[in-house]
Amino acid sequence: QCLAFITFGALADYGRNRKFGLMLCTGVGSLSCMLFLLVSDPHMHSFAAWLTISSNVCFGLSVVYYNAFLPILVSFHPEVTSTSNSMDKIEEVENFMSTVGFMFGYIAGFIGAVFGVVLQALVGNEDNGRLGDRVTIFFAGLWWAGWSVWTFYCLGAHPGKPTPKL
């Protein structure tokens, strides 16, 4: 995961790849979660391991790409545009927006976890190849993808600085 952050993290700040990277990581990561529904045989542990790695790396990278939008969103905020762009005001707005974003993420995560517990209770895991676990992980991927559609719709491309020449 660390190697992916170092390798692809700069793409979030430079060029025209910010939104594409967010969409790609979200799509691959949420699909990786949803594909857990297919892991019904204990002999598929290698496939499950690759799905786990893929979903976790993509989730981390999607947070990196998502956070790359923060300075841009702050620069368009009315409190920042109406002032002389003082660093104190920029930092205050950035901290507020980041905090609110994480707060809604935690609230959505909690609601998703409650649904997951309900799914586990309804489906169960006895004598069915851990179907409850697989359905819950599928639901987590669907939840991730579903809420991301709203983000993709509302966020513009907002290209970054030109990629530096090596």
Side-chain angles (χ1 to χ4, degrees):
Q1 197 171 24
C2 182
L3 183 62
F5 288 2
I6 292 168
T7 305
F8 297 105
L11 293 177
D13 295 324
Y14 296 100
R16 307 183 59 78
N17 300 315
R18 184 175 291 150
K19 187 172 181 179
F20 175 75
L22 177 62
M23 293 172 70
L24 180 67
C25 291
T26 300
V28 171
S30 61
L31 182 63
S32 295
C33 288
M34 291 187 273
L35 286 174
F36 262 97
L37 198 57
L38 303 176
V39 182
S40 57
D41 184 352
H43 294 95
M44 298 178 75
H45 64 276
S46 294
F47 180 58
W50 283 110
L51 290 175
T52 302
I53 291 167
S54 172
S55 63
N56 281 297
V57 168
C58 286
F59 179 75
L61 279 173
S62 70
V63 171
V64 169
Y65 281 103
Y66 188 76
N67 284 336
F69 280 95
L70 189 58
I72 294 165
L73 296 174
V74 168
S75 70
F76 288 111
H77 193 277
E79 287 185 32
V80 172
T81 57
S82 66
T83 64
S84 61
N85 288 338
S86 75
M87 289 308 293
D88 290 338
K89 180 51 83 175
I90 291 170
E91 186 176 334
E92 176 186 331
V93 170
E94 190 170 81
N95 287 339
F96 174 78
M97 290 176 79
S98 178
T99 301
V100 169
F102 272 102
M103 178 187 72
F104 280 111
Y106 284 124
I107 290 169
F110 176 76
I111 293 169
V114 169
F115 281 134
V117 168
V118 171
L119 280 172
Q120 284 283 336
L122 292 174
V123 177
N125 281 315
E126 300 300 321
D127 300 325
N128 62 5
R130 310 236 19 118
L131 183 62
D133 293 341
R134 294 183 290 126
V135 167
T136 302
I137 295 169
F138 174 86
F139 171 74
L142 190 64
W143 185 263
W144 180 9
W147 282 107
S148 296
V149 169
W150 181 72
T151 302
F152 300 151
Y153 178 75
C154 292
L155 278 178
H158 299 291
K161 302 171 271 190
T163 307
K165 303 286 186 216
L166 296 178

